[in-house]
Amino acid sequence: MQALIQQLDAELPQTQCGQCGYGGCLPYATAIAKENELINKCPPGGKKALLALAKIMQQDPAPYLAEIIEETT
């Protein structure tokens, strides 16, 4: 589990901004791994982070991509 958390954390932008609702990137990565938190809660990471998190968690990023496109237009 720790390796998964580290892998997820490495793909996040490390801005520690809290926009995801967590106190930083590591707590968010932990929540994804342990609590099945959604992978689309990192605005600073954008599409790049979303696609990386989706690949690691073996999830389809398509439902979340539209949200990113809408937010950036």
XYZ file of all heavy atoms in Angstrom:
543
model
N 0.821 -1.199 0.000
C 0.000 0.000 0.000
C 0.865 1.264 0.000
O 0.560 2.221 -0.686
C -0.927 -0.026 1.217
C -1.844 1.185 1.324
S -3.099 1.360 0.047
C -4.179 -0.006 0.428
N 1.948 1.232 0.776
C 2.827 2.402 0.845
C 3.446 2.713 -0.511
O 3.581 3.887 -0.878
C 3.921 2.201 1.899
C 4.655 3.471 2.259
C 3.739 4.557 2.847
O 2.782 4.271 3.554
N 4.041 5.795 2.547
N 3.785 1.682 -1.263
C 4.359 1.903 -2.593
C 3.338 2.560 -3.516
O 3.691 3.452 -4.301
C 4.842 0.581 -3.187
N 2.078 2.155 -3.417
C 1.019 2.751 -4.220
C 0.847 4.230 -3.855
O 0.753 5.092 -4.729
C -0.295 2.002 -4.018
C -1.532 2.599 -4.696
C -1.354 2.663 -6.205
C -2.776 1.793 -4.319
N 0.840 4.520 -2.578
C 0.699 5.904 -2.117
C 1.854 6.750 -2.640
O 1.645 7.864 -3.141
C 0.613 5.964 -0.576
C -0.685 5.303 -0.102
C 0.717 7.401 -0.081
C -0.764 5.064 1.395
N 3.066 6.242 -2.565
C 4.233 6.979 -3.057
C 4.155 7.210 -4.562
O 4.518 8.276 -5.057
C 5.519 6.242 -2.698
C 5.821 6.279 -1.214
C 7.039 5.441 -0.849
O 7.488 4.591 -1.605
N 7.565 5.685 0.342
N 3.668 6.206 -5.278
C 3.535 6.324 -6.728
C 2.504 7.407 -7.077
O 2.741 8.237 -7.957
C 3.112 4.970 -7.313
C 3.165 4.891 -8.804
C 2.805 3.504 -9.319
O 2.361 2.630 -8.574
N 2.980 3.306 -10.606
N 1.378 7.411 -6.384
C 0.352 8.431 -6.613
C 0.882 9.819 -6.259
O 0.724 10.777 -7.019
C -0.891 8.122 -5.780
C -1.681 6.875 -6.182
C -2.661 6.492 -5.086
C -2.394 7.084 -7.504
N 1.527 9.923 -5.114
C 2.060 11.202 -4.647
C 3.070 11.775 -5.637
O 3.108 12.983 -5.876
C 2.686 11.029 -3.266
C 3.144 12.347 -2.653
O 2.343 13.310 -2.646
O 4.285 12.403 -2.164
N 3.855 10.923 -6.239
C 4.879 11.362 -7.198
C 4.264 12.003 -8.441
O 4.909 12.812 -9.108
C 5.771 10.192 -7.587
N 3.030 11.652 -8.753
C 2.369 12.210 -9.939
C 1.629 13.511 -9.647
O 1.173 14.184 -10.568
C 1.393 11.182 -10.528
C 2.050 9.917 -11.018
C 3.038 10.155 -12.160
O 2.954 11.201 -12.849
O 3.908 9.299 -12.369
N 1.504 13.871 -8.396
C 0.824 15.104 -8.025
C 1.819 16.261 -8.045
O 3.023 16.054 -7.882
C 0.169 14.946 -6.649
C -0.967 13.921 -6.628
C -1.380 13.593 -5.197
C -2.158 14.414 -7.431
N 1.348 17.496 -8.232
C 2.254 18.629 -8.460
C 3.007 19.143 -7.230
O 3.870 19.996 -7.359
C 1.324 19.718 -8.997
C -0.004 19.389 -8.420
C -0.046 17.879 -8.374
N 2.688 18.638 -6.061
C 3.375 19.032 -4.823
C 3.237 20.524 -4.524
O 4.142 21.149 -3.972
C 4.853 18.611 -4.866
C 5.070 17.130 -5.107
C 4.313 16.239 -4.126
O 4.319 16.474 -2.931
N 3.635 15.217 -4.649
N 2.099 21.089 -4.873
C 1.848 22.488 -4.553
C 1.345 22.652 -3.122
O 1.394 23.761 -2.585
C 0.819 23.098 -5.517
O -0.381 22.330 -5.449
C 1.344 23.146 -6.940
N 0.848 21.568 -2.537
C 0.332 21.566 -1.162
C -0.724 22.660 -0.981
O -0.815 23.289 0.065
C 1.472 21.731 -0.141
C 2.702 20.887 -0.372
C 2.452 19.391 -0.582
O 1.512 18.805 -0.083
N 3.339 18.757 -1.348
N -1.545 22.874 -2.011
C -2.488 23.992 -2.023
C -3.790 23.702 -1.288
O -4.493 24.614 -0.897
C -2.794 24.400 -3.458
S -3.636 23.105 -4.411
N -4.142 22.434 -1.156
C -5.372 22.074 -0.467
C -6.624 22.159 -1.311
O -7.733 21.946 -0.804
N -6.501 22.453 -2.597
C -7.682 22.572 -3.457
C -8.447 21.261 -3.587
O -9.626 21.257 -3.916
C -7.294 23.085 -4.841
C -6.832 24.526 -4.835
C -6.535 25.024 -6.235
O -7.372 24.944 -7.127
N -5.336 25.545 -6.424
N -7.784 20.177 -3.278
C -8.419 18.858 -3.346
C -9.255 18.563 -2.097
O -9.994 17.586 -2.048
C -7.354 17.771 -3.505
S -6.175 17.732 -2.125
N -9.102 19.404 -1.087
C -9.815 19.177 0.161
C -8.961 18.488 1.211
O -9.425 18.219 2.315
N -7.721 18.219 0.869
C -6.785 17.575 1.794
C -5.653 18.554 2.109
O -5.441 19.516 1.386
C -6.239 16.277 1.194
C -7.310 15.227 1.072
C -8.094 15.135 -0.064
C -7.579 14.340 2.121
C -9.116 14.194 -0.169
C -8.597 13.392 2.028
C -9.352 13.336 0.884
O -10.364 12.400 0.802
N -4.913 18.271 3.151
C -3.869 19.166 3.607
C -2.613 19.175 2.766
O -1.644 19.844 3.096
N -2.602 18.455 1.676
C -1.448 18.407 0.795
C -1.543 17.227 -0.146
O -2.514 16.466 -0.120
N -0.528 17.072 -0.946
C -0.536 16.017 -1.963
C -0.466 14.614 -1.359
O -1.158 13.705 -1.826
C 0.602 16.241 -2.947
S 0.427 17.779 -3.891
N 0.359 14.437 -0.348
C 0.472 13.106 0.259
C -0.838 12.654 0.918
O -1.263 11.517 0.696
C 1.635 13.048 1.252
C 1.893 11.686 1.893
C 2.164 10.613 0.836
C 3.062 11.776 2.867
N -1.516 13.502 1.675
C -2.813 13.070 2.223
C -3.838 12.741 1.129
O -4.641 11.820 1.281
C -3.267 14.255 3.076
C -2.019 14.977 3.436
C -1.102 14.792 2.252
N -3.805 13.495 0.046
C -4.716 13.201 -1.070
C -4.360 11.860 -1.702
O -5.238 11.034 -1.952
C -4.668 14.324 -2.107
C -5.536 14.095 -3.326
C -6.833 13.607 -3.217
C -5.054 14.371 -4.596
C -7.625 13.400 -4.343
C -5.836 14.175 -5.722
C -7.121 13.693 -5.593
O -7.907 13.486 -6.714
N -3.077 11.616 -1.940
C -2.637 10.337 -2.500
C -3.040 9.183 -1.586
O -3.486 8.134 -2.054
C -1.123 10.346 -2.711
N -2.917 9.381 -0.296
C -3.300 8.357 0.678
C -4.795 8.074 0.593
O -5.218 6.914 0.621
C -2.905 8.802 2.103
O -1.497 9.038 2.134
C -3.261 7.745 3.132
N -5.586 9.119 0.464
C -7.037 8.945 0.370
C -7.428 8.219 -0.914
O -8.354 7.396 -0.904
C -7.731 10.297 0.443
N -6.741 8.495 -2.000
C -7.018 7.778 -3.253
C -6.748 6.290 -3.050
O -7.557 5.442 -3.423
C -6.165 8.331 -4.414
C -6.573 9.762 -4.757
C -6.290 7.435 -5.649
C -5.629 10.460 -5.728
N -5.612 5.982 -2.461
C -5.202 4.585 -2.301
C -6.053 3.837 -1.270
O -6.435 2.698 -1.499
C -3.734 4.524 -1.893
N -6.342 4.477 -0.155
C -6.992 3.769 0.950
C -8.505 3.942 1.019
O -9.191 3.077 1.557
C -6.390 4.237 2.282
C -4.964 3.798 2.492
C -4.475 4.175 3.873
C -3.093 3.600 4.147
N -2.635 3.944 5.504
N -9.002 5.054 0.514
C -10.422 5.360 0.691
C -11.175 5.481 -0.631
O -12.305 5.965 -0.660
C -10.568 6.661 1.490
C -9.913 6.576 2.858
C -9.740 7.948 3.513
O -10.398 8.917 3.084
O -8.924 8.032 4.446
N -10.522 5.101 -1.722
C -11.127 5.199 -3.055
C -11.608 6.609 -3.373
O -12.660 6.797 -3.986
C -12.269 4.191 -3.217
C -11.784 2.778 -3.184
O -10.767 2.443 -3.784
N -12.494 1.911 -2.470
N -10.837 7.609 -2.936
C -11.156 8.998 -3.251
C -11.098 9.187 -4.757
O -10.369 8.490 -5.466
C -10.155 9.930 -2.557
C -10.382 11.401 -2.814
C -11.730 11.905 -2.356
O -11.849 12.305 -1.186
O -12.683 11.900 -3.176
N -11.872 10.135 -5.265
C -11.885 10.427 -6.697
C -10.517 10.943 -7.152
O -9.824 11.615 -6.401
C -12.951 11.466 -7.014
C -14.392 11.050 -6.734
C -15.337 12.219 -7.000
C -14.785 9.848 -7.569
N -10.181 10.648 -8.392
C -8.872 11.020 -8.932
C -8.868 12.379 -9.609
O -7.861 12.787 -10.172
C -8.358 9.955 -9.922
C -9.339 9.784 -11.085
C -8.096 8.634 -9.209
C -8.833 8.899 -12.211
N -9.974 13.099 -9.546
C -10.099 14.354 -10.286
C -10.118 15.593 -9.399
O -10.637 16.621 -9.780
C -11.377 14.336 -11.120
C -12.623 14.350 -10.261
O -12.631 13.858 -9.133
N -13.693 14.901 -10.787
N -9.531 15.527 -8.242
C -9.630 16.633 -7.299
C -8.384 17.512 -7.237
O -8.212 18.257 -6.281
C -9.945 16.096 -5.902
C -11.327 15.492 -5.806
C -11.704 15.228 -4.387
C -13.174 14.882 -4.285
N -13.593 14.798 -2.888
N -7.530 17.462 -8.248
C -6.293 18.238 -8.219
C -6.250 19.225 -9.383
O -5.678 18.921 -10.440
C -5.083 17.304 -8.278
S -3.507 18.177 -8.229
N -6.841 20.416 -9.207
C -6.805 21.403 -10.297
C -5.402 21.767 -10.764
O -5.164 21.854 -11.975
C -7.531 22.615 -9.701
C -8.430 22.042 -8.664
C -7.660 20.869 -8.086
N -4.427 21.973 -9.866
C -3.092 22.319 -10.360
C -2.441 21.208 -11.184
O -1.638 21.484 -12.063
C -2.279 22.582 -9.089
C -3.284 22.904 -8.054
C -4.491 22.077 -8.416
N -2.798 19.965 -10.912
C -2.221 18.850 -11.663
C -2.803 18.719 -13.049
O -2.162 18.185 -13.956
N -4.040 19.192 -13.207
C -4.696 19.182 -14.507
C -4.775 17.818 -15.167
O -4.808 16.770 -14.518
N -4.785 17.865 -16.483
C -4.942 16.658 -17.296
C -3.794 15.680 -17.081
O -4.011 14.476 -17.003
C -5.033 17.054 -18.771
C -5.273 15.895 -19.703
C -5.410 16.374 -21.144
C -5.600 15.218 -22.099
N -5.713 15.679 -23.496
N -2.587 16.204 -16.957
C -1.420 15.327 -16.799
C -1.544 14.468 -15.543
O -1.361 13.254 -15.590
C -0.145 16.165 -16.740
C 1.105 15.341 -16.577
C 2.343 16.210 -16.500
C 3.559 15.326 -16.254
N 4.745 16.113 -15.950
N -1.865 15.091 -14.421
C -1.999 14.338 -13.171
C -3.182 13.385 -13.239
O -3.091 12.243 -12.798
C -2.141 15.284 -11.988
N -4.287 13.864 -13.785
C -5.474 13.009 -13.900
C -5.167 11.742 -14.682
O -5.504 10.633 -14.246
C -6.616 13.773 -14.570
C -7.846 12.930 -14.896
C -8.514 12.408 -13.630
C -8.831 13.720 -15.728
N -4.518 11.882 -15.820
C -4.202 10.710 -16.643
C -3.234 9.775 -15.922
O -3.385 8.548 -15.995
C -3.630 11.150 -17.992
C -4.607 11.879 -18.910
C -3.894 12.373 -20.170
C -5.802 11.015 -19.256
N -2.277 10.323 -15.219
C -1.319 9.494 -14.482
C -2.012 8.750 -13.340
O -1.783 7.550 -13.156
C -0.182 10.354 -13.946
N -2.860 9.449 -12.591
C -3.575 8.803 -11.487
C -4.512 7.723 -12.020
O -4.625 6.646 -11.425
C -4.358 9.839 -10.678
C -3.543 10.926 -9.981
C -4.463 11.924 -9.304
C -2.560 10.335 -8.984
N -5.174 8.004 -13.132
C -6.085 7.031 -13.734
C -5.332 5.767 -14.138
O -5.806 4.650 -13.906
C -6.779 7.641 -14.947
N -4.167 5.950 -14.717
C -3.369 4.793 -15.140
C -2.948 3.956 -13.936
O -3.086 2.731 -13.940
C -2.139 5.260 -15.920
C -1.309 4.126 -16.465
C -0.176 4.642 -17.330
C 0.618 3.469 -17.893
N 1.717 3.925 -18.747
N -2.473 4.615 -12.899
C -2.026 3.897 -11.706
C -3.183 3.146 -11.058
O -3.043 1.994 -10.650
C -1.396 4.878 -10.687
C -0.096 5.455 -11.246
C -1.151 4.188 -9.345
C 0.417 6.664 -10.481
N -4.339 3.805 -10.970
C -5.491 3.207 -10.303
C -6.338 2.354 -11.244
O -7.349 1.811 -10.842
C -6.360 4.309 -9.677
C -5.662 5.089 -8.575
S -5.041 4.044 -7.228
C -6.581 3.469 -6.514
N -5.912 2.250 -12.492
C -6.619 1.475 -13.502
C -8.082 1.907 -13.607
O -9.001 1.104 -13.563
C -6.497 -0.028 -13.225
C -5.066 -0.500 -13.250
C -4.909 -1.979 -12.937
O -5.794 -2.612 -12.368
N -3.784 -2.531 -13.305
N -8.252 3.224 -13.751
C -9.576 3.808 -13.911
C -9.662 4.518 -15.243
O -8.660 4.989 -15.784
C -9.859 4.812 -12.793
C -9.970 4.209 -11.426
C -10.305 5.254 -10.379
O -10.789 6.343 -10.692
N -10.041 4.940 -9.129
N -10.868 4.643 -15.756
C -11.105 5.367 -16.993
C -11.143 6.865 -16.685
O -12.001 7.315 -15.914
C -12.440 4.921 -17.591
C -12.775 5.619 -18.889
O -11.918 6.358 -19.434
O -13.907 5.431 -19.369
N -10.246 7.651 -17.268
C -10.240 9.084 -16.984
C -11.295 9.867 -17.761
O -11.556 11.026 -17.462
C -8.840 9.514 -17.401
C -8.511 8.591 -18.521
C -9.134 7.257 -18.126
N -11.928 9.240 -18.747
C -12.847 9.947 -19.645
C -13.926 10.756 -18.927
O -14.166 11.906 -19.303
C -13.476 8.968 -20.632
N -14.582 10.223 -17.904
C -15.628 11.028 -17.263
C -15.103 12.324 -16.644
O -15.846 13.297 -16.507
C -16.175 10.106 -16.176
C -15.791 8.733 -16.585
C -14.512 8.888 -17.348
N -13.848 12.343 -16.280
C -13.266 13.510 -15.627
C -12.641 14.489 -16.614
O -12.454 15.655 -16.299
C -12.209 13.072 -14.617
C -12.711 12.060 -13.627
C -12.185 10.774 -13.591
C -13.717 12.366 -12.729
C -12.634 9.842 -12.676
C -14.185 11.447 -11.816
C -13.639 10.180 -11.793
O -14.097 9.263 -10.897
N -12.289 14.003 -17.792
C -11.630 14.867 -18.773
C -12.529 16.019 -19.208
O -12.063 17.134 -19.393
C -11.177 14.058 -19.988
C -9.959 13.173 -19.768
C -9.703 12.296 -20.991
C -8.739 13.993 -19.445
N -13.810 15.761 -19.346
C -14.743 16.819 -19.748
C -14.742 17.941 -18.729
O -14.814 19.124 -19.085
C -16.156 16.262 -19.925
N -14.639 17.609 -17.441
C -14.599 18.616 -16.394
C -13.369 19.502 -16.545
O -13.458 20.714 -16.391
C -14.562 17.961 -15.011
C -15.822 17.214 -14.659
C -15.678 16.444 -13.350
O -14.688 16.652 -12.630
O -16.555 15.630 -13.071
N -12.233 18.895 -16.828
C -10.993 19.657 -16.992
C -11.097 20.567 -18.204
O -10.711 21.732 -18.140
C -9.777 18.720 -17.102
C -9.521 18.051 -15.753
C -8.542 19.479 -17.564
C -8.417 17.044 -15.773
N -11.649 20.062 -19.275
C -11.797 20.867 -20.499
C -12.721 22.046 -20.224
O -12.442 23.180 -20.609
C -12.312 19.995 -21.657
C -11.222 18.982 -22.054
C -12.708 20.855 -22.853
C -11.690 17.889 -22.977
N -13.832 21.818 -19.510
C -14.778 22.885 -19.207
C -14.132 23.950 -18.311
O -14.360 25.131 -18.492
C -16.013 22.319 -18.517
C -16.901 21.523 -19.436
C -18.050 20.844 -18.699
O -18.297 21.188 -17.528
O -18.684 19.968 -19.282
N -13.332 23.530 -17.356
C -12.708 24.463 -16.416
C -11.662 25.342 -17.089
O -11.425 26.457 -16.671
C -12.068 23.711 -15.257
C -13.097 23.076 -14.319
C -12.465 22.211 -13.253
O -11.223 22.196 -13.139
O -13.204 21.538 -12.535
N -11.038 24.834 -18.141
C -9.965 25.579 -18.770
C -10.451 26.435 -19.944
O -9.685 27.172 -20.521
C -8.853 24.637 -19.268
O -9.411 23.684 -20.188
C -8.198 23.917 -18.111
N -11.730 26.309 -20.324
C -12.229 27.098 -21.448
C -12.971 28.321 -20.974
O -13.284 28.496 -19.845
C -13.163 26.274 -22.354
O -14.235 25.743 -21.571
C -12.411 25.182 -23.049
